[in-house]
Amino acid sequence: MQAPLAQRSLLGSAVGRIGAARAVQPLRAVRLDVAAAADTERLRLHNLSPQKGSRRDEKRKGRGYGGHQGGTCGFGNRGQKARSGPSVRPGFEGGQTPLYRRLPKLRGIAGGMAAGLPKYVVVNLSDLEKSFEAGETVNLEAVKAKGLLNISGRDSQLPLKVLGAGELSKALTIEAAKFSSTASEKITSAGATASMVAQRKKWTRKAHEKTVREMVAKGLDYKKEIAKQKAARAAAKAKAAAAGTV
């Protein structure tokens, strides 16, 4: 029994499409080869890009029927994120311990950031024994000049502290902001001199306001006086540099 004319035409068109697909196969293979050749290109800053399809723009949410996105406007039917007002706060993980609480705290944060920062630059008695001769004066500048400390940034503003590691047999004059108890005992037993250097006062608003009030009572302008002090320090520094070059 022969199939109707309409069915035969459909079968013929289907067979034609299959044949055409088979005929196009080599072209598809060529395109894959071209893509594979492009993948071998060396990565550079100008050709870095995300994998195709891995990123897409966030869907813009509508506001009411005027947004032409239906009644839900892209927010979905129900749920916390579909309600008006604030949604889920950043970092919230549904009630479980969030990541920012699972990770350990950085050093110094638990007691305040300043608690974990060094307050002195330190040097040991063994270093002084190797680098200084008897009768010399040891201070922060001398220690830097000898290369015992290579400090920069915030540490360049810190005072010197002497620690008691090692032995001292020379009569030195040591000037520092602080000495450990062991260092003090060894310096005294070696016949050396340990003298405390006054530290820079910590800035507080209360002390600053007191200083300003005292200067105003004397008829002085605080800002002008500070500018004069800075100019005097700059002039002294330039004079010392000029003397060193000569």
Side-chain angles (χ1 to χ4, degrees):
M1 183 177 178
Q2 205 172 23
L5 180 61
Q7 292 183 4
R8 281 184 297 180
S9 62
L10 289 175
L11 288 173
S13 60
V15 172
R17 284 197 298 271
I18 293 173
R22 288 178 178 174
V24 173
Q25 266 188 340
L27 296 178
R28 189 185 309 160
V30 171
R31 286 198 298 270
L32 291 175
D33 293 340
V34 172
D39 291 340
T40 61
E41 183 181 359
R42 194 171 182 181
L43 291 178
R44 289 286 185 263
L45 290 177
H46 70 275
N47 61 10
L48 289 178
S49 62
Q51 187 71 20
K52 185 177 181 181
S54 63
R55 296 192 179 185
R56 61 180 182 180
D57 295 337
E58 184 180 356
K59 185 175 182 180
R60 187 180 184 278
K61 308 296 181 62
R63 295 295 185 272
Y65 288 98
H68 303 290
Q69 295 179 358
T72 57
C73 305
F75 286 91
N77 289 319
R78 298 180 186 84
Q80 184 177 4
K81 295 182 180 180
R83 313 298 180 182
S84 63
S87 184
V88 182
R89 61 178 171 81
F92 184 68
E93 298 183 15
Q96 70 180 17
T97 305
L99 179 65
Y100 68 87
R101 288 178 55 196
R102 295 197 300 268
L103 298 177
K105 295 180 179 179
L106 297 177
R107 179 186 175 192
I109 288 182
M113 287 298 293
L117 296 176
K119 298 177 177 58
Y120 301 94
V121 289
V122 298
V123 65
N124 284 293
L125 292 179
S126 58
D127 300 325
L128 304 184
E129 177 74 16
K130 296 175 184 177
S131 303
F132 291 91
E133 299 298 331
E136 288 187 330
T137 300
V138 179
N139 50 31
L140 183 58
E141 289 72 19
V143 170
K144 289 180 182 178
K146 295 284 186 178
L148 297 179
L149 291 176
N150 184 16
I151 55 180
S152 61
R154 176 184 177 274
D155 292 348
S156 61
Q157 305 296 326
L158 299 179
L160 178 66
K161 180 178 180 180
V162 180
L163 302 181
E167 298 296 332
L168 182 66
S169 61
K170 301 174 182 177
L172 301 174
T173 302
I174 306 175
E175 301 173 352
K178 196 170 184 179
F179 297 86
S180 67
S181 57
T182 306
S184 299
E185 294 174 1
K186 291 183 178 180
I187 290 171
T188 304
S189 61
T193 305
S195 58
M196 300 282 289
V197 177
Q199 299 186 43
R200 183 178 180 181
K201 292 183 179 180
K202 184 179 179 180
W203 187 93
T204 60
R205 186 171 297 278
K206 187 176 181 180
H208 171 72
E209 292 175 351
K210 182 180 178 182
T211 304
V212 173
R213 286 196 302 269
E214 291 176 353
M215 295 182 71
V216 170
K218 295 178 182 179
L220 301 175
D221 189 343
Y222 174 77
K223 292 184 178 181
K224 290 182 179 179
E225 293 300 320
I226 294 298
K228 289 180 183 178
Q229 293 177 10
K230 288 183 178 180
R233 286 197 297 267
K237 189 175 181 179
K239 185 177 180 180
T245 54
V246 174

